[in-house]
Amino acid sequence: MGPTLDASIALVAIAPFLAALLAPLTHRFVGSYCGWVLAIVPASIFMFLVKLIGPVIDKGFIAASIQWVPSYHLALSFYLDGLSLTFALTISGIGTLIVLYAGPYLAGHGHQGRFYSFLLAFMGAMLGLVLADNMLALFGFWELTAVTSFLLIGFDHTRQAARRAAIQALVVTNIGGLSLLLAVLVIQQLGGNWEISKLGALQGSALYPLVLALVLLAAFTKSAQVPFHFWLPNAMEAPTPVSAFLHSATMVQAGVYLLARLTPALGGTPEWTAILTIFGGVTLLWGGFAALKQTDMKQMLAQTTIASLGLLVLLIGIGSETAIAAMVVYFVAHALYKAGFFMLVGVIDHATGTRDITALGGLMGKLPLTFAAAVLAGLGMIGLPLTLGYLAKEEMYLALEQSDWRSIVLLLTVILGNGLLGAIALALVIKPFLGQFRSTPKPPHEGSFGLVAGPLLLGVLGLAGALATGWFGSTVLVPAASAVLGHATTSHLTLVPDFGGLVPFLSVLTWALGAVLFMQSGVIRAALRRSERSSWNFDAVFDALMFGLIRSAAAITRLFHHGRLELYLLIVFIGFAVAISAPLLLNHGYDGLLATADWVQLFGIRTVRPFEWAVLALAIAGLLILLFSFNRLVAVLALGIQGTATALIFLLFGAPDLAFTQFMVEILSVVVLALVITRLKLDERDRRPYEDLARDGIVALLCGVAVTLLLAVVLTGTLDTKLSDFFTATSVPIAHGRNIVNVILVDYRGLDTLGEISVVMGAGIAILGLLRRRRIVP
């Protein structure tokens, strides 16, 4: 691809971040129209991606790359095939409607600009994730989704529940993030490159079980599979626009995308099939029954999201062409009806002041457009004919129309799961809108255009996609399924039932089961709540683990950060001596030294000149004064004598630049001492117990002997001048400097020097803060 397309695809992921930076300023200038202005960004991305549908179908993929770190063969590479294009279109399309919906939903909120900023950054992170081909870039965007979702879930940070939910989501998903990082590093070592599109099959590798475990942990935590599902219902503390976006097309679908993307490299093994189908099936049923137990409509939808994610994972685990086709269709269908339902719950909450489904009824006449949108979303969720949900359900049953016991068990699981989802859809459509009108905290009224337009459009798209079966199959299903399977496939979607098989009858059975579960939902809810008598659940286990982690951290802090500086220094110097001596002892490094007979010759004592003896005498004098000093001030000045002697040694042995640096350090020390001497009592006599003196003296001798022996070992060896020769040869032509030491500090070790300066600056700021605090506190 040319540089223009490279930049354009990169801009798809970068543009939302740029918009996020400008969102607060935009809101300040345009106020309530901010959503309409900012929606231009995701809408433009959607239109750009629509134009790439034809090239992707014709060529199979579009690859783009921008050089990142060429020396390590790292490029910011993007890969647009049927799978990533389907996800990206869903993210940008639904994202546009969410941005428009957020305006009227958060009208009058004091931090609306900040919310748009977080939301657009979240969108950008998800777009980058599905478009990235480089695995390190994918990991980076993966972690950005966690950070931005943390900001969105905890947006109402004044509420403790919102803060707790945000932290919980961040902790659980970051466990998966660390797992993904390890998986990426292992896969790179096995495959020899960083691009997912260039990966071969890894199923035969000896490290396949490790890679599989790491990838599954990352996907399961992100996509809320049991037992990592508990963070998702708590994320409902976020504003409704966030819930609608997060549950339909973004963060929770990241794990599904990862599994689908890595299916060619990791899929098809008995381990893959068994783990994904078991965990997916359990998650499907867990979410379905948990949804029946709820009365808060937002919580009901959250639990059905868990169920739907389990269903998607189960279908990926089966891995056949029909199962993958069902996964693709169901992903699109679920995104459309779930985003619509969440936005509708927000409309009902705004209009009535409650989300409790048992407190609502008869709203059809008051909210006709909302009711119409709810019917459209419900049709897709139930999977009735003429909807994408119907096509997805038919494909699921077709994939499981086998006679072996595993397929039968999975088929029964999927039927029960779809029945539970259908019951929830019936409850969301019938109970709030039909029946006798019930009084609500607020007089009900229809939502504004910005609130109901999105759900209505999504519901219509769910019908249009099914009615245009041929177009949907060739444009969406075939490219996406082919990308997951790793080979070309065909579409056999049809709205005409095949009564020669079991599939139509299984659909009827599912609808009947959903109707029965809906009619008995009150009884089932009561039974499920009675069965939940124990106070221990996944949420409580998480709290217990976090409490234990905090208590353990506090105990370790008290153990190692006890505030006794002398013990800190003691441990540091003991570790220093051990670090120097232990490797030499274990590797027989002292053997050559012990065989040396002439130690005088080794240290060059015979060649020491008189003025060098004078400098040595100065150093010894400083040492004696330090050891026998009567107070701290004298000890500090004695250290200055030691520093001066060191600077003279540098000067005598041909390093005037180092000598000058050392002199500057000593002068600076005197200046600093002069500045703080009025605040620190340095003239007090330092009275110390003899056992402390003996302990510190022994450690000092050990360190001195260790360093001396290390230098002696170095002197007995052969000096390797490769590094020195490199610096000498490249200092002028590369770094344009003749002072090699300066070049090393500024160029070759530039980042290290920057780090040291930062540490010193940070310490200085901290000291300044402490001094000011001491001045303020009486």
Side-chain angles (χ1 to χ4, degrees), residues 498-522:
D498 179 13
F499 290 103
L502 287 175
V503 173
F505 304 101
L506 294 176
S507 294
V508 174
L509 175 61
T510 302
W511 299 329
L513 178 61
V516 171
L517 290 172
F518 164 69
M519 290 185 289
Q520 299 297 319
S521 58

PDB file of all heavy atoms in Angstrom, residues 498-522:
ATOM      1  N   ASP A 498     -35.865 -24.507   6.166  1.00  0.00           N
ATOM      2  CA  ASP A 498     -35.705 -25.824   5.555  1.00  0.00           C
ATOM      3  C   ASP A 498     -36.414 -26.845   6.446  1.00  0.00           C
ATOM      4  O   ASP A 498     -35.840 -27.354   7.408  1.00  0.00           O
ATOM      5  CB  ASP A 498     -34.222 -26.162   5.418  1.00  0.00           C
ATOM      6  CG  ASP A 498     -34.000 -27.534   4.801  1.00  0.00           C
ATOM      7  OD1 ASP A 498     -34.964 -28.107   4.252  1.00  0.00           O
ATOM      8  OD2 ASP A 498     -32.859 -28.047   4.878  1.00  0.00           O
ATOM      9  N   PHE A 499     -37.657 -27.135   6.105  1.00  0.00           N
ATOM     10  CA  PHE A 499     -38.430 -28.033   6.959  1.00  0.00           C
ATOM     11  C   PHE A 499     -38.014 -29.487   6.800  1.00  0.00           C
ATOM     12  O   PHE A 499     -38.556 -30.365   7.476  1.00  0.00           O
ATOM     13  CB  PHE A 499     -39.926 -27.881   6.643  1.00  0.00           C
ATOM     14  CG  PHE A 499     -40.482 -26.544   7.090  1.00  0.00           C
ATOM     15  CD1 PHE A 499     -40.705 -25.538   6.164  1.00  0.00           C
ATOM     16  CD2 PHE A 499     -40.753 -26.309   8.427  1.00  0.00           C
ATOM     17  CE1 PHE A 499     -41.199 -24.308   6.567  1.00  0.00           C
ATOM     18  CE2 PHE A 499     -41.254 -25.080   8.833  1.00  0.00           C
ATOM     19  CZ  PHE A 499     -41.483 -24.077   7.907  1.00  0.00           C
ATOM     20  N   GLY A 500     -37.048 -29.731   5.927  1.00  0.00           N
ATOM     21  CA  GLY A 500     -36.533 -31.088   5.814  1.00  0.00           C
ATOM     22  C   GLY A 500     -35.551 -31.442   6.917  1.00  0.00           C
ATOM     23  O   GLY A 500     -35.167 -32.601   7.068  1.00  0.00           O
ATOM     24  N   GLY A 501     -35.130 -30.455   7.711  1.00  0.00           N
ATOM     25  CA  GLY A 501     -34.206 -30.691   8.821  1.00  0.00           C
ATOM     26  C   GLY A 501     -34.820 -30.292  10.142  1.00  0.00           C
ATOM     27  O   GLY A 501     -35.998 -29.896  10.238  1.00  0.00           O
ATOM     28  N   LEU A 502     -34.005 -30.364  11.191  1.00  0.00           N
ATOM     29  CA  LEU A 502     -34.486 -30.060  12.535  1.00  0.00           C
ATOM     30  C   LEU A 502     -34.461 -28.575  12.866  1.00  0.00           C
ATOM     31  O   LEU A 502     -35.102 -28.147  13.821  1.00  0.00           O
ATOM     32  CB  LEU A 502     -33.641 -30.810  13.568  1.00  0.00           C
ATOM     33  CG  LEU A 502     -33.835 -32.318  13.687  1.00  0.00           C
ATOM     34  CD1 LEU A 502     -32.815 -32.892  14.670  1.00  0.00           C
ATOM     35  CD2 LEU A 502     -35.252 -32.636  14.154  1.00  0.00           C
ATOM     36  N   VAL A 503     -33.706 -27.799  12.098  1.00  0.00           N
ATOM     37  CA  VAL A 503     -33.437 -26.416  12.482  1.00  0.00           C
ATOM     38  C   VAL A 503     -34.706 -25.600  12.693  1.00  0.00           C
ATOM     39  O   VAL A 503     -34.850 -24.929  13.726  1.00  0.00           O
ATOM     40  CB  VAL A 503     -32.510 -25.747  11.448  1.00  0.00           C
ATOM     41  CG1 VAL A 503     -32.368 -24.255  11.744  1.00  0.00           C
ATOM     42  CG2 VAL A 503     -31.140 -26.414  11.474  1.00  0.00           C
ATOM     43  N   PRO A 504     -35.693 -25.605  11.774  1.00  0.00           N
ATOM     44  CA  PRO A 504     -36.898 -24.777  12.027  1.00  0.00           C
ATOM     45  C   PRO A 504     -37.644 -25.201  13.290  1.00  0.00           C
ATOM     46  O   PRO A 504     -38.170 -24.347  14.014  1.00  0.00           O
ATOM     47  CB  PRO A 504     -37.752 -25.017  10.777  1.00  0.00           C
ATOM     48  CG  PRO A 504     -36.794 -25.490   9.735  1.00  0.00           C
ATOM     49  CD  PRO A 504     -35.755 -26.263  10.464  1.00  0.00           C
ATOM     50  N   PHE A 505     -37.674 -26.487  13.564  1.00  0.00           N
ATOM     51  CA  PHE A 505     -38.386 -26.969  14.747  1.00  0.00           C
ATOM     52  C   PHE A 505     -37.634 -26.603  16.032  1.00  0.00           C
ATOM     53  O   PHE A 505     -38.246 -26.335  17.062  1.00  0.00           O
ATOM     54  CB  PHE A 505     -38.587 -28.480  14.647  1.00  0.00           C
ATOM     55  CG  PHE A 505     -39.306 -28.893  13.396  1.00  0.00           C
ATOM     56  CD1 PHE A 505     -38.608 -29.403  12.309  1.00  0.00           C
ATOM     57  CD2 PHE A 505     -40.689 -28.741  13.282  1.00  0.00           C
ATOM     58  CE1 PHE A 505     -39.256 -29.775  11.150  1.00  0.00           C
ATOM     59  CE2 PHE A 505     -41.346 -29.111  12.118  1.00  0.00           C
ATOM     60  CZ  PHE A 505     -40.641 -29.618  11.046  1.00  0.00           C
ATOM     61  N   LEU A 506     -36.312 -26.566  15.945  1.00  0.00           N
ATOM     62  CA  LEU A 506     -35.533 -26.127  17.097  1.00  0.00           C
ATOM     63  C   LEU A 506     -35.777 -24.643  17.371  1.00  0.00           C
ATOM     64  O   LEU A 506     -35.792 -24.215  18.533  1.00  0.00           O
ATOM     65  CB  LEU A 506     -34.045 -26.378  16.848  1.00  0.00           C
ATOM     66  CG  LEU A 506     -33.615 -27.853  16.738  1.00  0.00           C
ATOM     67  CD1 LEU A 506     -32.134 -27.945  16.403  1.00  0.00           C
ATOM     68  CD2 LEU A 506     -33.916 -28.597  18.024  1.00  0.00           C
ATOM     69  N   SER A 507     -35.964 -23.872  16.298  1.00  0.00           N
ATOM     70  CA  SER A 507     -36.276 -22.450  16.483  1.00  0.00           C
ATOM     71  C   SER A 507     -37.629 -22.290  17.170  1.00  0.00           C
ATOM     72  O   SER A 507     -37.776 -21.488  18.105  1.00  0.00           O
ATOM     73  CB  SER A 507     -36.291 -21.728  15.133  1.00  0.00           C
ATOM     74  OG  SER A 507     -35.009 -21.715  14.557  1.00  0.00           O
ATOM     75  N   VAL A 508     -38.627 -23.067  16.721  1.00  0.00           N
ATOM     76  CA  VAL A 508     -39.943 -23.003  17.356  1.00  0.00           C
ATOM     77  C   VAL A 508     -39.845 -23.413  18.818  1.00  0.00           C
ATOM     78  O   VAL A 508     -40.465 -22.788  19.706  1.00  0.00           O
ATOM     79  CB  VAL A 508     -40.948 -23.892  16.598  1.00  0.00           C
ATOM     80  CG1 VAL A 508     -42.288 -23.947  17.339  1.00  0.00           C
ATOM     81  CG2 VAL A 508     -41.150 -23.371  15.174  1.00  0.00           C
ATOM     82  N   LEU A 509     -39.059 -24.446  19.096  1.00  0.00           N
ATOM     83  CA  LEU A 509     -38.865 -24.884  20.473  1.00  0.00           C
ATOM     84  C   LEU A 509     -38.238 -23.773  21.308  1.00  0.00           C
ATOM     85  O   LEU A 509     -38.623 -23.546  22.463  1.00  0.00           O
ATOM     86  CB  LEU A 509     -37.970 -26.135  20.494  1.00  0.00           C
ATOM     87  CG  LEU A 509     -37.562 -26.658  21.879  1.00  0.00           C
ATOM     88  CD1 LEU A 509     -38.795 -27.062  22.689  1.00  0.00           C
ATOM     89  CD2 LEU A 509     -36.592 -27.824  21.735  1.00  0.00           C
ATOM     90  N   THR A 510     -37.289 -23.057  20.737  1.00  0.00           N
ATOM     91  CA  THR A 510     -36.635 -21.957  21.453  1.00  0.00           C
ATOM     92  C   THR A 510     -37.636 -20.851  21.776  1.00  0.00           C
ATOM     93  O   THR A 510     -37.661 -20.322  22.884  1.00  0.00           O
ATOM     94  CB  THR A 510     -35.488 -21.389  20.602  1.00  0.00           C
ATOM     95  OG1 THR A 510     -34.559 -22.430  20.312  1.00  0.00           O
ATOM     96  CG2 THR A 510     -34.772 -20.267  21.340  1.00  0.00           C
ATOM     97  N   TRP A 511     -38.464 -20.490  20.802  1.00  0.00           N
ATOM     98  CA  TRP A 511     -39.452 -19.438  21.044  1.00  0.00           C
ATOM     99  C   TRP A 511     -40.455 -19.858  22.124  1.00  0.00           C
ATOM    100  O   TRP A 511     -40.823 -19.056  22.985  1.00  0.00           O
ATOM    101  CB  TRP A 511     -40.194 -19.110  19.747  1.00  0.00           C
ATOM    102  CG  TRP A 511     -39.276 -18.599  18.676  1.00  0.00           C
ATOM    103  CD1 TRP A 511     -38.132 -17.877  18.841  1.00  0.00           C
ATOM    104  CD2 TRP A 511     -39.416 -18.801  17.264  1.00  0.00           C
ATOM    105  NE1 TRP A 511     -37.548 -17.604  17.641  1.00  0.00           N
ATOM    106  CE2 TRP A 511     -38.310 -18.145  16.635  1.00  0.00           C
ATOM    107  CE3 TRP A 511     -40.355 -19.446  16.452  1.00  0.00           C
ATOM    108  CZ2 TRP A 511     -38.137 -18.141  15.257  1.00  0.00           C
ATOM    109  CZ3 TRP A 511     -40.181 -19.430  15.066  1.00  0.00           C
ATOM    110  CH2 TRP A 511     -39.085 -18.786  14.483  1.00  0.00           C
ATOM    111  N   ALA A 512     -40.888 -21.122  22.033  1.00  0.00           N
ATOM    112  CA  ALA A 512     -41.836 -21.614  23.039  1.00  0.00           C
ATOM    113  C   ALA A 512     -41.206 -21.617  24.424  1.00  0.00           C
ATOM    114  O   ALA A 512     -41.843 -21.220  25.421  1.00  0.00           O
ATOM    115  CB  ALA A 512     -42.306 -23.014  22.661  1.00  0.00           C
ATOM    116  N   LEU A 513     -39.955 -22.053  24.492  1.00  0.00           N
ATOM    117  CA  LEU A 513     -39.256 -22.062  25.779  1.00  0.00           C
ATOM    118  C   LEU A 513     -39.119 -20.645  26.319  1.00  0.00           C
ATOM    119  O   LEU A 513     -39.319 -20.398  27.524  1.00  0.00           O
ATOM    120  CB  LEU A 513     -37.865 -22.702  25.602  1.00  0.00           C
ATOM    121  CG  LEU A 513     -36.978 -22.741  26.845  1.00  0.00           C
ATOM    122  CD1 LEU A 513     -37.637 -23.549  27.959  1.00  0.00           C
ATOM    123  CD2 LEU A 513     -35.606 -23.317  26.493  1.00  0.00           C
ATOM    124  N   GLY A 514     -38.791 -19.688  25.455  1.00  0.00           N
ATOM    125  CA  GLY A 514     -38.683 -18.304  25.891  1.00  0.00           C
ATOM    126  C   GLY A 514     -40.005 -17.775  26.424  1.00  0.00           C
ATOM    127  O   GLY A 514     -40.034 -17.064  27.440  1.00  0.00           O
ATOM    128  N   ALA A 515     -41.104 -18.119  25.744  1.00  0.00           N
ATOM    129  CA  ALA A 515     -42.416 -17.654  26.204  1.00  0.00           C
ATOM    130  C   ALA A 515     -42.755 -18.236  27.570  1.00  0.00           C
ATOM    131  O   ALA A 515     -43.267 -17.543  28.459  1.00  0.00           O
ATOM    132  CB  ALA A 515     -43.482 -18.036  25.177  1.00  0.00           C
ATOM    133  N   VAL A 516     -42.485 -19.539  27.762  1.00  0.00           N
ATOM    134  CA  VAL A 516     -42.769 -20.179  29.055  1.00  0.00           C
ATOM    135  C   VAL A 516     -41.921 -19.556  30.157  1.00  0.00           C
ATOM    136  O   VAL A 516     -42.424 -19.259  31.258  1.00  0.00           O
ATOM    137  CB  VAL A 516     -42.521 -21.703  28.958  1.00  0.00           C
ATOM    138  CG1 VAL A 516     -42.600 -22.351  30.346  1.00  0.00           C
ATOM    139  CG2 VAL A 516     -43.513 -22.343  28.007  1.00  0.00           C
ATOM    140  N   LEU A 517     -40.635 -19.351  29.890  1.00  0.00           N
ATOM    141  CA  LEU A 517     -39.760 -18.743  30.899  1.00  0.00           C
ATOM    142  C   LEU A 517     -40.209 -17.319  31.231  1.00  0.00           C
ATOM    143  O   LEU A 517     -40.132 -16.892  32.389  1.00  0.00           O
ATOM    144  CB  LEU A 517     -38.313 -18.725  30.387  1.00  0.00           C
ATOM    145  CG  LEU A 517     -37.623 -20.095  30.283  1.00  0.00           C
ATOM    146  CD1 LEU A 517     -36.282 -19.947  29.571  1.00  0.00           C
ATOM    147  CD2 LEU A 517     -37.426 -20.707  31.660  1.00  0.00           C
ATOM    148  N   PHE A 518     -40.699 -16.597  30.231  1.00  0.00           N
ATOM    149  CA  PHE A 518     -41.188 -15.245  30.498  1.00  0.00           C
ATOM    150  C   PHE A 518     -42.423 -15.271  31.398  1.00  0.00           C
ATOM    151  O   PHE A 518     -42.527 -14.493  32.358  1.00  0.00           O
ATOM    152  CB  PHE A 518     -41.515 -14.548  29.176  1.00  0.00           C
ATOM    153  CG  PHE A 518     -42.360 -13.320  29.343  1.00  0.00           C
ATOM    154  CD1 PHE A 518     -41.849 -12.176  29.937  1.00  0.00           C
ATOM    155  CD2 PHE A 518     -43.692 -13.316  28.927  1.00  0.00           C
ATOM    156  CE1 PHE A 518     -42.634 -11.045  30.098  1.00  0.00           C
ATOM    157  CE2 PHE A 518     -44.480 -12.195  29.085  1.00  0.00           C
ATOM    158  CZ  PHE A 518     -43.954 -11.056  29.681  1.00  0.00           C
ATOM    159  N   MET A 519     -43.359 -16.160  31.077  1.00  0.00           N
ATOM    160  CA  MET A 519     -44.582 -16.227  31.875  1.00  0.00           C
ATOM    161  C   MET A 519     -44.311 -16.668  33.306  1.00  0.00           C
ATOM    162  O   MET A 519     -45.031 -16.287  34.230  1.00  0.00           O
ATOM    163  CB  MET A 519     -45.585 -17.162  31.197  1.00  0.00           C
ATOM    164  CG  MET A 519     -46.171 -16.582  29.903  1.00  0.00           C
ATOM    165  SD  MET A 519     -47.465 -17.612  29.181  1.00  0.00           S
ATOM    166  CE  MET A 519     -46.492 -19.005  28.591  1.00  0.00           C
ATOM    167  N   GLN A 520     -43.252 -17.448  33.497  1.00  0.00           N
ATOM    168  CA  GLN A 520     -42.912 -17.916  34.843  1.00  0.00           C
ATOM    169  C   GLN A 520     -41.731 -17.144  35.443  1.00  0.00           C
ATOM    170  O   GLN A 520     -41.127 -17.601  36.398  1.00  0.00           O
ATOM    171  CB  GLN A 520     -42.565 -19.414  34.789  1.00  0.00           C
ATOM    172  CG  GLN A 520     -43.687 -20.300  34.301  1.00  0.00           C
ATOM    173  CD  GLN A 520     -44.886 -20.243  35.223  1.00  0.00           C
ATOM    174  OE1 GLN A 520     -44.745 -20.241  36.449  1.00  0.00           O
ATOM    175  NE2 GLN A 520     -46.083 -20.192  34.631  1.00  0.00           N
ATOM    176  N   SER A 521     -41.452 -15.992  34.859  1.00  0.00           N
ATOM    177  CA  SER A 521     -40.259 -15.260  35.289  1.00  0.00           C
ATOM    178  C   SER A 521     -40.339 -14.839  36.751  1.00  0.00           C
ATOM    179  O   SER A 521     -39.322 -14.823  37.457  1.00  0.00           O
ATOM    180  CB  SER A 521     -40.053 -14.024  34.400  1.00  0.00           C
ATOM    181  OG  SER A 521     -41.190 -13.164  34.453  1.00  0.00           O
ATOM    182  N   GLY A 522     -41.518 -14.465  37.228  1.00  0.00           N
ATOM    183  CA  GLY A 522     -41.651 -14.081  38.631  1.00  0.00           C
ATOM    184  C   GLY A 522     -41.342 -15.222  39.569  1.00  0.00           C
ATOM    185  O   GLY A 522     -40.631 -15.050  40.572  1.00  0.00           O
TER     186      GLY A 522
END
